[in-house]
Amino acid sequence: MVSNAVAGLMDEYKRFNGTTMNELFAAEAGRAEKYTLNFEGMTFDYSKNRFDDKVLAALFELAREHNLESRIEDMFSGKKINITENRAVLHTALRNFSGKPVTVDGVDVMPEIRRVLAKMKEFSEAVRNGSFKGATGKKLKNIVNIGIGGSDLGPYMVTQALKKYWAEDVQCYFISNIDGTACAEVLGQVDPEETLFIVASKTFTTIETLTNARTCREWLVKALGEAAVANHFVALSTNAKAVAEFGIDVNNMFEFWDFVGGRYSLWSAIGLSIALAVGYDNFEQLLKGAEAMDKHFRTAPLEQNIPVIMALIGIWYNDYYNIHRYAVIPYDQYLKSLPAYLQQLDMESNGKSVRLDNKKITDYATGPALFGGAGTDVQHSFFQLLHQGTEPVPVDFIIPAVSHNEIGKHHEILLANVLAQAEALMRGKTVEEAAAELRNAGKDEVTVEKLKLNKSFDGNRPSNMFILDKLTPFALGMIIAMYEHKVYTQGVIWEIDSFDQWGVELGKQLALKILPELEGGVAAAHDGSTRALIERVRKIREAC
Ligand code: F6P
């Protein structure tokens, strides 16, 4: 049985579907202003979406029916909202500068968070100013983060996004993939005497990270001896025992806690590579930007709440228009890795089909597939599909108004492109317009007939536009937190646990079974295809 709010939205869909955004803009001169919010140096224009006031009201009704306001409070106040793992979800506490306590099981977690932040500050400053040196007395100029998933994507994306803030003599490298190439390529570039390895793993059990870390440790020990490990290896983890067993002194460990999910961990010790690259003060600015978004998400009325509005519009497309994908397209070279980071955040959080009440979801869709890339590059790859594919893809465009690299007219051209793409997606071009253009260009009627459909655009394709004053650490923190909260809001409405990730386990289990078989062990029961593939790989490798 559908709820009142869902029934209301189904009615709204029947009423509204078919209305175009062009019609909406023509009917309401103030639509853009009405559906634009400004927050801390960021403009969020959501007017180019398929809704009117009535649709929006029905969406806010849906949020209220799911007690969104109290569910937001549950997260901030440390309630164990990750129910399948019985954990609180407190990445927001990592950026809580209010001085107020945050408790889990009656214990205030803030003193520990502050202690680790202070340790990160002290260590990052010591490495950057050269007082913490390598074993042979050289400055540690190469930072190599070894991690995967949340222990890689966040620090990687942020360090790339803030490259303009890097210290001149620092280089950052990231090893994530178990593919030996990842290790080989980095180790081929760095001098062991000047290299600091950061082993980043929440659980310290992840096979990729531990294998890569062992390889790097052996490489370092071979070059500088066992005693050098203390100067060249630190660990970021919740698992002190495993860190010690691996062979890293726990004094060289920066802790975090179970209430920080992997994909929400860049704000924790997992952000050490960020602090080393851009300096602790800039890392703190990143946290402060996120804190500003946290306050907004926690206190703004739903109708003015940026992550909530993003989430509801996404649900409108996902569950009523049946559009199960969206694209995030930053027009900023520094944000090139943002879509890859957001893929984990969104798809590992909301790619679920079991509800909080332990029932299988059969009658609605949850998390959409996310893809993206940097504009204008991607205009020359997948934008054809965005403009003329059979199904629309809602887009989030992100651009700073002022670039860190104002060279000639580059940034004006970039800005013109992003604005034009959003306009083109919405406005489209009718067949008549396309035909008239062809005739104006002197084409004969045969050519006009042949090309007019191909040169027309349906339009009515939605997008959000985010304009940042500039891409600062603060602005980046805000943007990341905004997506985190959008994802949580959608999870609340889909009634799923956005903070577990059981879906990654089966593949890991099977890989552990197949590994010894590839090495010559007895084959376990497999389907015919997998068995044949194992055999084939074994034979090729034996022959080499
Ligand atoms: O891919 C599954 C996952 O558990 C992610 O959620 C996590 O970010 C990643 O593996 C790495 O885990 P860890 O930090 O424990 O090595």
mmCIF file of all heavy atoms in Angstrom, residues 146-153 200-210 236-238 256 261-265 270 344 348 499-501 504-505 508, ligand 1:
data_model
loop_
_atom_site.group_PDB
_atom_site.id
_atom_site.type_symbol
_atom_site.label_atom_id
_atom_site.label_comp_id
_atom_site.label_asym_id
_atom_site.label_seq_id
_atom_site.Cartn_x
_atom_site.Cartn_y
_atom_site.Cartn_z
ATOM 1 N N ILE A 146 48.828 4.886 0.939
ATOM 2 C CA ILE A 146 48.458 3.538 0.488
ATOM 3 C C ILE A 146 47.107 3.214 1.118
ATOM 4 O O ILE A 146 46.994 3.102 2.342
ATOM 5 C CB ILE A 146 49.505 2.493 0.943
ATOM 6 C CG1 ILE A 146 50.915 2.917 0.511
ATOM 7 C CG2 ILE A 146 49.153 1.113 0.399
ATOM 8 C CD1 ILE A 146 52.025 2.066 1.135
ATOM 9 N N GLY A 147 46.080 3.120 0.314
ATOM 10 C CA GLY A 147 44.735 2.846 0.830
ATOM 11 C C GLY A 147 43.828 2.572 -0.359
ATOM 12 O O GLY A 147 44.243 2.701 -1.509
ATOM 13 N N ILE A 148 42.590 2.227 -0.083
ATOM 14 C CA ILE A 148 41.652 1.979 -1.195
ATOM 15 C C ILE A 148 40.257 2.382 -0.749
ATOM 16 O O ILE A 148 39.992 2.476 0.466
ATOM 17 C CB ILE A 148 41.737 0.490 -1.662
ATOM 18 C CG1 ILE A 148 41.120 0.303 -3.058
ATOM 19 C CG2 ILE A 148 41.091 -0.454 -0.651
ATOM 20 C CD1 ILE A 148 41.506 -1.005 -3.738
ATOM 21 N N GLY A 149 39.372 2.610 -1.689
ATOM 22 C CA GLY A 149 38.004 3.029 -1.343
ATOM 23 C C GLY A 149 38.061 4.352 -0.589
ATOM 24 O O GLY A 149 38.771 5.281 -0.985
ATOM 25 N N GLY A 150 37.370 4.413 0.523
ATOM 26 C CA GLY A 150 37.331 5.653 1.304
ATOM 27 C C GLY A 150 38.689 6.058 1.841
ATOM 28 O O GLY A 150 38.917 7.226 2.154
ATOM 29 N N SER A 151 39.607 5.120 1.934
ATOM 30 C CA SER A 151 40.945 5.442 2.443
ATOM 31 C C SER A 151 41.862 5.939 1.334
ATOM 32 O O SER A 151 43.053 6.151 1.560
ATOM 33 C CB SER A 151 41.548 4.202 3.119
ATOM 34 O OG SER A 151 40.703 3.793 4.174
ATOM 35 N N ASP A 152 41.294 6.120 0.164
ATOM 36 C CA ASP A 152 42.054 6.622 -0.989
ATOM 37 C C ASP A 152 41.292 7.740 -1.717
ATOM 38 O O ASP A 152 41.818 8.822 -1.942
ATOM 39 C CB ASP A 152 42.312 5.456 -1.965
ATOM 40 C CG ASP A 152 42.772 5.924 -3.323
ATOM 41 O OD1 ASP A 152 43.935 6.330 -3.438
ATOM 42 O OD2 ASP A 152 41.965 5.897 -4.277
ATOM 43 N N LEU A 153 40.033 7.445 -2.065
ATOM 44 C CA LEU A 153 39.310 8.354 -2.975
ATOM 45 C C LEU A 153 39.150 9.761 -2.408
ATOM 46 O O LEU A 153 39.286 10.752 -3.133
ATOM 47 C CB LEU A 153 37.929 7.762 -3.305
ATOM 48 C CG LEU A 153 37.960 6.534 -4.216
ATOM 49 C CD1 LEU A 153 36.644 5.765 -4.137
ATOM 50 C CD2 LEU A 153 38.240 6.953 -5.656
ATOM 51 N N ALA A 200 46.787 3.693 5.018
ATOM 52 C CA ALA A 200 45.465 4.166 5.428
ATOM 53 C C ALA A 200 44.452 3.039 5.272
ATOM 54 O O ALA A 200 44.142 2.640 4.151
ATOM 55 C CB ALA A 200 45.066 5.356 4.557
ATOM 56 N N SER A 201 43.988 2.524 6.376
ATOM 57 C CA SER A 201 42.979 1.472 6.301
ATOM 58 C C SER A 201 42.193 1.443 7.601
ATOM 59 O O SER A 201 42.759 1.205 8.665
ATOM 60 C CB SER A 201 43.626 0.106 6.054
ATOM 61 O OG SER A 201 42.639 -0.897 6.071
ATOM 62 N N LYS A 202 40.914 1.687 7.489
ATOM 63 C CA LYS A 202 40.064 1.689 8.690
ATOM 64 C C LYS A 202 40.185 0.356 9.426
ATOM 65 O O LYS A 202 40.444 0.305 10.608
ATOM 66 C CB LYS A 202 38.615 1.969 8.287
ATOM 67 C CG LYS A 202 37.667 1.971 9.452
ATOM 68 C CD LYS A 202 36.241 2.311 9.043
ATOM 69 C CE LYS A 202 35.315 2.041 10.215
ATOM 70 N NZ LYS A 202 33.923 2.367 9.935
ATOM 71 N N THR A 203 40.024 -0.726 8.676
ATOM 72 C CA THR A 203 40.014 -2.050 9.302
ATOM 73 C C THR A 203 41.416 -2.641 9.447
ATOM 74 O O THR A 203 41.659 -3.510 10.264
ATOM 75 C CB THR A 203 39.212 -3.023 8.415
ATOM 76 O OG1 THR A 203 39.781 -2.972 7.088
ATOM 77 C CG2 THR A 203 37.749 -2.638 8.357
ATOM 78 N N PHE A 204 42.323 -2.193 8.614
ATOM 79 C CA PHE A 204 43.677 -2.757 8.494
ATOM 80 C C PHE A 204 43.626 -4.253 8.173
ATOM 81 O O PHE A 204 44.480 -5.036 8.596
ATOM 82 C CB PHE A 204 44.520 -2.490 9.750
ATOM 83 C CG PHE A 204 45.852 -1.874 9.400
ATOM 84 C CD1 PHE A 204 45.938 -0.525 9.082
ATOM 85 C CD2 PHE A 204 47.013 -2.632 9.336
ATOM 86 C CE1 PHE A 204 47.148 0.063 8.718
ATOM 87 C CE2 PHE A 204 48.233 -2.062 8.967
ATOM 88 C CZ PHE A 204 48.299 -0.709 8.667
ATOM 89 N N THR A 205 42.618 -4.631 7.404
ATOM 90 C CA THR A 205 42.511 -6.020 6.954
ATOM 91 C C THR A 205 42.345 -6.084 5.430
ATOM 92 O O THR A 205 42.266 -7.175 4.870
ATOM 93 C CB THR A 205 41.285 -6.728 7.581
ATOM 94 O OG1 THR A 205 40.122 -5.983 7.221
ATOM 95 C CG2 THR A 205 41.386 -6.831 9.083
ATOM 96 N N THR A 206 42.267 -4.948 4.778
ATOM 97 C CA THR A 206 41.949 -4.922 3.346
ATOM 98 C C THR A 206 43.129 -5.455 2.534
ATOM 99 O O THR A 206 44.246 -4.923 2.618
ATOM 100 C CB THR A 206 41.589 -3.481 2.920
ATOM 101 O OG1 THR A 206 40.555 -3.038 3.794
ATOM 102 C CG2 THR A 206 41.118 -3.402 1.485
ATOM 103 N N ILE A 207 42.878 -6.493 1.768
ATOM 104 C CA ILE A 207 43.973 -7.230 1.110
ATOM 105 C C ILE A 207 44.797 -6.337 0.177
ATOM 106 O O ILE A 207 46.026 -6.423 0.139
ATOM 107 C CB ILE A 207 43.435 -8.492 0.386
ATOM 108 C CG1 ILE A 207 44.591 -9.371 -0.090
ATOM 109 C CG2 ILE A 207 42.510 -8.157 -0.745
ATOM 110 C CD1 ILE A 207 44.168 -10.771 -0.520
ATOM 111 N N GLU A 208 44.103 -5.459 -0.545
ATOM 112 C CA GLU A 208 44.832 -4.594 -1.484
ATOM 113 C C GLU A 208 45.820 -3.710 -0.727
ATOM 114 O O GLU A 208 47.002 -3.617 -1.075
ATOM 115 C CB GLU A 208 43.859 -3.684 -2.264
ATOM 116 C CG GLU A 208 42.958 -4.391 -3.249
ATOM 117 C CD GLU A 208 41.609 -4.760 -2.652
ATOM 118 O OE1 GLU A 208 41.536 -4.978 -1.425
ATOM 119 O OE2 GLU A 208 40.647 -4.845 -3.426
ATOM 120 N N THR A 209 45.321 -3.074 0.322
ATOM 121 C CA THR A 209 46.153 -2.114 1.062
ATOM 122 C C THR A 209 47.305 -2.819 1.768
ATOM 123 O O THR A 209 48.450 -2.357 1.729
ATOM 124 C CB THR A 209 45.272 -1.338 2.063
ATOM 125 O OG1 THR A 209 44.268 -0.669 1.303
ATOM 126 C CG2 THR A 209 46.073 -0.337 2.873
ATOM 127 N N LEU A 210 47.004 -3.945 2.405
ATOM 128 C CA LEU A 210 48.067 -4.627 3.145
ATOM 129 C C LEU A 210 49.129 -5.191 2.200
ATOM 130 O O LEU A 210 50.327 -5.147 2.493
ATOM 131 C CB LEU A 210 47.488 -5.728 4.035
ATOM 132 C CG LEU A 210 46.618 -5.207 5.207
ATOM 133 C CD1 LEU A 210 46.359 -6.313 6.209
ATOM 134 C CD2 LEU A 210 47.248 -4.020 5.915
ATOM 135 N N LEU A 236 47.050 4.900 9.534
ATOM 136 C CA LEU A 236 45.797 5.574 9.875
ATOM 137 C C LEU A 236 44.762 4.469 9.993
ATOM 138 O O LEU A 236 44.469 3.800 9.005
ATOM 139 C CB LEU A 236 45.375 6.545 8.770
ATOM 140 C CG LEU A 236 46.492 7.365 8.112
ATOM 141 C CD1 LEU A 236 45.936 8.182 6.948
ATOM 142 C CD2 LEU A 236 47.169 8.273 9.131
ATOM 143 N N SER A 237 44.241 4.251 11.180
ATOM 144 C CA SER A 237 43.372 3.085 11.328
ATOM 145 C C SER A 237 42.549 3.144 12.619
ATOM 146 O O SER A 237 42.812 3.957 13.507
ATOM 147 C CB SER A 237 44.234 1.812 11.345
ATOM 148 O OG SER A 237 43.409 0.672 11.287
ATOM 149 N N THR A 238 41.574 2.243 12.672
ATOM 150 C CA THR A 238 40.832 2.038 13.930
ATOM 151 C C THR A 238 41.366 0.788 14.649
ATOM 152 O O THR A 238 40.912 0.466 15.730
ATOM 153 C CB THR A 238 39.332 1.789 13.630
ATOM 154 O OG1 THR A 238 39.223 0.665 12.771
ATOM 155 C CG2 THR A 238 38.673 2.988 12.976
ATOM 156 N N PHE A 256 41.246 6.594 14.227
ATOM 157 C CA PHE A 256 39.860 7.056 14.154
ATOM 158 C C PHE A 256 38.973 5.934 14.652
ATOM 159 O O PHE A 256 39.478 4.981 15.262
ATOM 160 C CB PHE A 256 39.510 7.626 12.780
ATOM 161 C CG PHE A 256 39.627 6.734 11.587
ATOM 162 C CD1 PHE A 256 38.486 6.354 10.889
ATOM 163 C CD2 PHE A 256 40.849 6.278 11.124
ATOM 164 C CE1 PHE A 256 38.561 5.561 9.767
ATOM 165 C CE2 PHE A 256 40.946 5.474 10.008
ATOM 166 C CZ PHE A 256 39.795 5.107 9.330
ATOM 167 N N GLY A 261 32.490 6.203 8.950
ATOM 168 C CA GLY A 261 32.426 5.245 7.840
ATOM 169 C C GLY A 261 33.585 5.487 6.872
ATOM 170 O O GLY A 261 34.058 6.620 6.726
ATOM 171 N N GLY A 262 34.036 4.429 6.187
ATOM 172 C CA GLY A 262 35.172 4.555 5.263
ATOM 173 C C GLY A 262 34.980 5.686 4.266
ATOM 174 O O GLY A 262 35.868 6.521 4.064
ATOM 175 N N ARG A 263 33.820 5.746 3.633
ATOM 176 C CA ARG A 263 33.607 6.754 2.593
ATOM 177 C C ARG A 263 33.295 8.129 3.172
ATOM 178 O O ARG A 263 33.042 9.076 2.436
ATOM 179 C CB ARG A 263 32.519 6.293 1.618
ATOM 180 C CG ARG A 263 31.218 5.903 2.269
ATOM 181 C CD ARG A 263 30.312 5.136 1.304
ATOM 182 N NE ARG A 263 29.122 4.599 1.955
ATOM 183 C CZ ARG A 263 29.055 3.440 2.581
ATOM 184 N NH1 ARG A 263 30.131 2.694 2.692
ATOM 185 N NH2 ARG A 263 27.925 3.021 3.132
ATOM 186 N N TYR A 264 33.259 8.221 4.505
ATOM 187 C CA TYR A 264 33.018 9.501 5.184
ATOM 188 C C TYR A 264 34.243 9.884 6.012
ATOM 189 O O TYR A 264 34.143 10.654 6.957
ATOM 190 C CB TYR A 264 31.793 9.382 6.103
ATOM 191 C CG TYR A 264 30.520 9.056 5.345
ATOM 192 C CD1 TYR A 264 30.170 7.741 5.053
ATOM 193 C CD2 TYR A 264 29.686 10.079 4.885
ATOM 194 C CE1 TYR A 264 29.018 7.447 4.331
ATOM 195 C CE2 TYR A 264 28.538 9.791 4.162
ATOM 196 C CZ TYR A 264 28.216 8.468 3.883
ATOM 197 O OH TYR A 264 27.080 8.198 3.167
ATOM 198 N N SER A 265 35.423 9.317 5.652
ATOM 199 C CA SER A 265 36.550 9.394 6.588
ATOM 200 C C SER A 265 37.615 10.429 6.241
ATOM 201 O O SER A 265 38.574 10.578 6.985
ATOM 202 C CB SER A 265 37.211 8.014 6.719
ATOM 203 O OG SER A 265 37.769 7.623 5.473
ATOM 204 N N ILE A 270 42.353 9.875 8.282
ATOM 205 C CA ILE A 270 42.509 9.507 6.864
ATOM 206 C C ILE A 270 42.890 10.737 6.022
ATOM 207 O O ILE A 270 43.458 10.622 4.948
ATOM 208 C CB ILE A 270 41.218 8.814 6.335
ATOM 209 C CG1 ILE A 270 41.046 7.432 6.983
ATOM 210 C CG2 ILE A 270 41.183 8.704 4.807
ATOM 211 C CD1 ILE A 270 42.066 6.366 6.567
ATOM 212 N N GLN A 344 31.676 6.453 -5.013
ATOM 213 C CA GLN A 344 31.679 5.621 -3.809
ATOM 214 C C GLN A 344 30.683 6.171 -2.790
ATOM 215 O O GLN A 344 29.883 5.427 -2.218
ATOM 216 C CB GLN A 344 33.070 5.540 -3.161
ATOM 217 C CG GLN A 344 33.067 4.514 -2.016
ATOM 218 C CD GLN A 344 34.203 4.664 -1.017
ATOM 219 O OE1 GLN A 344 34.882 5.675 -0.972
ATOM 220 N NE2 GLN A 344 34.390 3.653 -0.194
ATOM 221 N N GLU A 348 27.931 3.385 -2.945
ATOM 222 C CA GLU A 348 28.172 2.432 -1.863
ATOM 223 C C GLU A 348 27.190 2.707 -0.711
ATOM 224 O O GLU A 348 26.866 1.807 0.063
ATOM 225 C CB GLU A 348 29.622 2.505 -1.372
ATOM 226 C CG GLU A 348 30.066 1.249 -0.637
ATOM 227 C CD GLU A 348 31.550 1.213 -0.287
ATOM 228 O OE1 GLU A 348 31.963 1.951 0.615
ATOM 229 O OE2 GLU A 348 32.301 0.439 -0.895
ATOM 230 N N PHE A 499 24.844 3.461 5.519
ATOM 231 C CA PHE A 499 26.189 3.455 6.105
ATOM 232 C C PHE A 499 26.842 2.076 6.185
ATOM 233 O O PHE A 499 27.946 1.959 6.687
ATOM 234 C CB PHE A 499 26.145 4.148 7.475
ATOM 235 C CG PHE A 499 25.626 5.555 7.351
ATOM 236 C CD1 PHE A 499 24.335 5.882 7.737
ATOM 237 C CD2 PHE A 499 26.410 6.534 6.777
ATOM 238 C CE1 PHE A 499 23.842 7.174 7.565
ATOM 239 C CE2 PHE A 499 25.930 7.822 6.584
ATOM 240 C CZ PHE A 499 24.643 8.144 6.989
ATOM 241 N N ASP A 500 26.171 1.047 5.712
ATOM 242 C CA ASP A 500 26.849 -0.256 5.635
ATOM 243 C C ASP A 500 27.232 -0.516 4.172
ATOM 244 O O ASP A 500 27.006 0.330 3.302
ATOM 245 C CB ASP A 500 25.965 -1.375 6.216
ATOM 246 C CG ASP A 500 24.639 -1.504 5.481
ATOM 247 O OD1 ASP A 500 24.491 -0.939 4.382
ATOM 248 O OD2 ASP A 500 23.730 -2.181 5.998
ATOM 249 N N GLN A 501 27.852 -1.642 3.878
ATOM 250 C CA GLN A 501 28.269 -1.955 2.490
ATOM 251 C C GLN A 501 28.439 -3.458 2.324
ATOM 252 O O GLN A 501 29.478 -3.931 1.879
ATOM 253 C CB GLN A 501 29.543 -1.192 2.074
ATOM 254 C CG GLN A 501 30.769 -1.382 2.954
ATOM 255 C CD GLN A 501 30.723 -0.596 4.224
ATOM 256 O OE1 GLN A 501 30.284 0.557 4.233
ATOM 257 N NE2 GLN A 501 31.123 -1.207 5.325
ATOM 258 N N VAL A 504 29.825 -5.497 -0.914
ATOM 259 C CA VAL A 504 31.199 -5.671 -1.407
ATOM 260 C C VAL A 504 31.804 -6.997 -0.932
ATOM 261 O O VAL A 504 32.911 -7.349 -1.318
ATOM 262 C CB VAL A 504 32.123 -4.500 -0.977
ATOM 263 C CG1 VAL A 504 31.567 -3.166 -1.461
ATOM 264 C CG2 VAL A 504 32.322 -4.480 0.534
ATOM 265 N N GLU A 505 31.053 -7.741 -0.107
ATOM 266 C CA GLU A 505 31.663 -8.894 0.566
ATOM 267 C C GLU A 505 31.776 -10.146 -0.305
ATOM 268 O O GLU A 505 32.774 -10.849 -0.256
ATOM 269 C CB GLU A 505 30.881 -9.249 1.840
ATOM 270 C CG GLU A 505 30.929 -8.155 2.908
ATOM 271 C CD GLU A 505 32.354 -7.837 3.351
ATOM 272 O OE1 GLU A 505 33.191 -8.752 3.357
ATOM 273 O OE2 GLU A 505 32.628 -6.669 3.665
ATOM 274 N N LYS A 508 34.759 -10.410 -2.530
ATOM 275 C CA LYS A 508 35.994 -10.587 -1.747
ATOM 276 C C LYS A 508 36.137 -12.047 -1.325
ATOM 277 O O LYS A 508 37.218 -12.636 -1.432
ATOM 278 C CB LYS A 508 35.935 -9.737 -0.464
ATOM 279 C CG LYS A 508 36.135 -8.260 -0.634
ATOM 280 C CD LYS A 508 36.263 -7.624 0.766
ATOM 281 C CE LYS A 508 35.941 -6.157 0.760
ATOM 282 N NZ LYS A 508 35.862 -5.577 2.095
HETATM 283 O O1 F6P B 1 34.953 -1.391 -0.591
HETATM 284 C C1 F6P B 1 34.593 -1.712 0.697
HETATM 285 C C2 F6P B 1 35.309 -0.904 1.743
HETATM 286 O O2 F6P B 1 35.018 -1.450 2.972
HETATM 287 C C3 F6P B 1 34.974 0.582 1.710
HETATM 288 O O3 F6P B 1 33.792 0.887 2.356
HETATM 289 C C4 F6P B 1 36.172 1.168 2.343
HETATM 290 O O4 F6P B 1 36.262 2.532 2.093
HETATM 291 C C5 F6P B 1 37.266 0.359 1.666
HETATM 292 O O5 F6P B 1 36.722 -0.939 1.568
HETATM 293 C C6 F6P B 1 38.589 0.335 2.370
HETATM 294 O O6 F6P B 1 38.491 -0.182 3.665
HETATM 295 P P1 F6P B 1 39.636 0.008 4.724
HETATM 296 O O7 F6P B 1 39.801 1.476 4.979
HETATM 297 O O8 F6P B 1 39.173 -0.722 5.952
HETATM 298 O O9 F6P B 1 40.899 -0.573 4.168
#
